[in-house]
Amino acid sequence: MNTTSQGGTSAFSRFVRAIWNSGILLPLFVLLVWWWGSKSGWWSAFLLPGPARVLRTFSSLTTSGELFTHMWASLLRIFKGFSASALFALALAFASGLYRPLLRQIAPLLELLRHIPPMATIPMLILWFGIGEASKLVIIVMATFFPIYLNTVQGISQCDSKLLEVAQSFGYTRLQTLRHVVLPSALPYIFTGMRLGLGYSWRSLIAAELVAASSGLGYMILDAEQLSRPDVILVGILVIGFLGSTIDLVFSAATRYFAPYGSVSNGVA
Amino acid sequence: MAWLEIRNLRKEYPLEKKTTIALDDFSLSVEKGDFVGIVGRSGSGKTTLLRLLSGLLKRTSGEIVYRDGEEAKIGMVFQEPRLMPWLTVEKNILFAYLKDKKKRLPHKQSEALLDLLGLGEYKNAYPSQLSGGMAQRVALGRALCYEPELILMDEPLGALDYFTRKALQDEILKLHFLQKKTILFVTHDVEEALTLSRRIVVLEGGRLIREIPVDMPYPRRQSDPKFAKTLDLILSLIVGG
């Protein structure tokens, strides 16, 4: 009897500890306050509709397929913009990380560009690229380039010179050293930069879809603003949050798989 | 001519507006299968000598000549293990071969070395999971797996505790006898040099001040009067400068 009771107690305490450690309590509490506050009329339903109404809107947008159309349009933009940015940032980071004179030449210009919010460039981008997809992609590229570039450069420059000497002592060429020492050493930084960049790409999505878009989650939110539909706005916001964190989880898993030997807690952004 | 002839080797480093001489007019003959201990104070040029031999540094002047005219295959063991954190123990041992994708990795050789160094169980472990002594064993295995004709050891046991150090000294001797490797071994510890080497070279201020043959059978005991006498001689040379 004692054993069962002890086993039961320990299983319960394990369950409580698992709930506590999962970090789900605060979101549940927020949801509860949101639901209770809406139900009790603590605020106007126009300013913040209750969770039930948001859920109903989510359901109707899903059933009609409208949400998926916007999600797909945004995901495609993020994918294209992020891929172009990652390719460009990685190529430039490796070139400048391995060839210091190039870094010295481009550093001041990049430092200047880094502080310009992508939204500030929208009028110029429309002039240069028109109101099509190109200007939207450029905004995403501008938002995601720097975290990837800066973290990769840092990863390359922090490669332990002692490990480079080991490669040299075994007759590795420059290219072989790059492939077998520099790249694996920089990989945790590259993944961190990409994770940060991906987060920034979602942040820049609204700005990108401000430019005469006819689809996308950002467009859906802006359109809902015009139509005074806060429930649709909330669905858009929550879907962006959900998609962003799901992709981030995939990136975290990839980092653990491809670079289990190192982690970079705070990247450079 | 000996298997390896080092002639009038000199290394200068520019230091602000001056030039520092790290190694000056250093000459030494080394035969295959020799075990040469190199001792001296910090800054006496020991590490510079090994780095010049390994090609990590360029010499200012002098010659490094091998009897057969070709460069020897050199394996280097550093003071710290310097293992690649992203590679397993086995891949670290095979590191010298990873650069060439076309060549097949000598797994049999690495397996044999893992067993010889008592690392068989840790084949798939990562460096972060190893103790200091085990990591240094892996570094030793990495140098041996390369099948070098010459092994350069730069204070490889300097950072280890007494017991691990003694155990690894035995292993280095075992490898020296089993594989007939030529070893140049830099150490701060004169007793360690006497325990391991067949010859000891004393460096001071970048110059070779004395070459002492160690004519004692292995395993060497510190209680041996000859051991104590040679130790006193080397210490007096280093302290006397």
Side-chain angles (χ1 to χ4, degrees), chain B residues 95-114:
Chain B
F95 181 73
Y97 299 93
L98 298 181
K99 62 183 174 185
D100 199 347
K101 272 190 175 177
K102 286 174 193 162
K103 279 190 184 169
R104 290 186 70 183
L105 296 175
H107 283 290
K108 272 191 182 172
Q109 206 174 312
S110 67
E111 294 276 349
L113 276 167
L114 282 165

Side-chain angles (χ1 to χ4, degrees), chain A residues 159-173 176 179-186 258-262, chain B residues 51 54-57 74-76 78 80-87 94-101 126 142-143 146:
Chain A
C159 179
D160 191 345
S161 60
K162 289 176 177 174
L163 299 184
L164 296 176
E165 272 192 354
V166 172
Q168 196 188 341
S169 77
F170 285 115
Y172 274 59
T173 62
Q176 288 165 339
R179 157 77 182 83
H180 293 281
V181 184
V182 179
L183 183 63
S185 166
F258 289 109
Y261 45 88
Chain B
R51 292 170 73 83
S54 66
L56 291 175
L57 279 180
I74 295 173
M76 184 135 182
F78 300 88
E80 331 79 35
R82 300 191 182 189
L83 302 179
M84 305 296 154
W86 52 88
L87 297 178
L94 289 165
F95 181 73
Y97 299 93
L98 298 181
K99 62 183 174 185
D100 199 347
K101 272 190 175 177
Y126 283 92
R142 177 176 63 191
Y146 190 41

Side-chain angles (χ1 to χ4, degrees), chain B residues 111-200:
Chain B
E111 294 276 349
L113 276 167
L114 282 165
D115 287 340
L116 185 70
L117 295 165
L119 290 163
E121 281 177 51
Y122 301 94
K123 169 180 163 170
N124 296 317
Y126 283 92
S128 59
Q129 296 168 305
L130 304 177
S131 67
M134 275 154 69
Q136 199 55 292
R137 275 196 188 111
V138 179
L140 195 58
R142 177 176 63 191
L144 289 169
C145 195
Y146 190 41
E147 296 197 308
E149 295 162 275
L150 175 63
I151 303 181
L152 305 174
M153 296 191 177
D154 187 8
E155 297 184 50
L157 314 179
L160 303 176
D161 65 85
Y162 175 82
F163 298 103
T164 314
R165 202 179 167 106
K166 287 287 167 196
L168 276 177
Q169 282 177 2
D170 290 343
E171 292 200 19
I172 289 170
L173 273 183
K174 193 165 82 181
L175 292 167
H176 172 61
F177 287 117
L178 282 176
Q179 305 199 350
K180 310 263 183 287
K181 295 291 182 195
T182 312
I183 299 175
L184 260 65
F185 188 97
V186 159
T187 178
H188 269 118
D189 185 341
V190 181
E191 285 176 15
E192 184 171 80
L194 270 172
T195 307
L196 299 173
S197 321
R198 292 173 190 270
R199 264 193 305 157
I200 292 179

Side-chain angles (χ1 to χ4, degrees), chain A:
Chain A
M1 287 296 279
N2 273 345
T3 315
T4 315
S5 142
Q6 275 173 3
T9 311
S10 90
F12 178 72
S13 65
R14 273 203 302 275
F15 174 73
V16 170
R17 203 175 306 133
I19 292 286
W20 177 255
N21 290 336
S22 69
I24 202 166
L25 288 177
L26 185 62
L28 279 178
F29 177 72
V30 171
L31 191 67
L32 191 73
V33 171
W34 182 20
W35 171 75
W36 185 257
S38 309
K39 196 172 160 13
S40 311
W42 289 354
W43 52 76
S44 155
F46 179 74
L47 292 177
L48 181 61
R53 188 173 154 205
V54 172
L55 198 65
R56 275 197 303 278
T57 308
F58 172 77
S59 172
S60 74
L61 286 171
T62 312
T63 317
S64 67
E66 195 184 340
L67 185 63
F68 293 116
T69 310
H70 292 306
M71 264 170 62
W72 177 245
S74 290
L75 277 171
L76 206 62
R77 266 182 206 125
I78 294 275
F79 176 75
K80 283 181 186 170
F82 179 74
S83 304
S85 176
L87 279 176
F88 181 48
L90 287 176
L92 195 64
F94 270 94
S96 56
L98 297 170
Y99 185 63
R100 291 282 148 173
L102 176 64
L103 183 65
R104 274 195 293 277
Q105 293 306 315
I106 63 173
L109 179 66
L110 290 180
E111 187 57 24
L112 177 92
L113 292 174
R114 189 162 79 94
H115 296 284
I116 300 172
M119 273 188 85
T121 62
I122 288 177
M124 297 311 292
L125 293 178
I126 292 174
L127 274 177
W128 295 337
F129 300 104
I131 55 169
E133 278 299 296
S135 50
K136 297 175 186 63
L137 295 182
V138 172
I139 291 171
I140 297 176
V141 168
M142 284 178 73
T144 55
F145 172 82
F146 287 102
I148 305 174
Y149 171 79
L150 292 172
N151 281 283
T152 306
V153 168
Q154 193 176 18
I156 293 168
S157 60
Q158 293 208 344
C159 179
D160 191 345
S161 60
K162 289 176 177 174
L163 299 184
L164 296 176
E165 272 192 354
V166 172
Q168 196 188 341
S169 77
F170 285 115
Y172 274 59
T173 62
R174 262 182 80 105
L175 202 65
Q176 288 165 339
T177 307
L178 175 70
R179 157 77 182 83
H180 293 281
V181 184
V182 179
L183 183 63
S185 166
L187 211 53
Y189 289 86
I190 295 173
F191 273 116
T192 301
M194 288 176 103
R195 278 182 68 190
L196 285 170
L198 207 56
Y200 281 29
S201 70
W202 285 103
R203 291 186 203 179
S204 65
L205 190 71
I206 300 286
E209 290 176 351
L210 264 175
V211 186
S214 57
S215 63
L217 291 168
Y219 162 78
M220 188 181 93
I221 291 170
L222 294 167
D223 191 47
E225 185 206 351
Q226 304 288 319
L227 300 170
S228 300
R229 288 288 305 271
D231 50 334
V232 178
I233 295 176
L234 280 174
V235 169
I237 289 170
L238 291 173
V239 167
I240 288 178
F242 177 77
L243 284 176
S245 40
T246 305
I247 295 174
D248 191 64
L249 275 177
V250 172
F251 252 87
S252 296
T255 310
R256 279 196 301 276
Y257 181 78
F258 289 109
Y261 45 88
S263 61
V264 185
S265 51
N266 296 308
V268 188

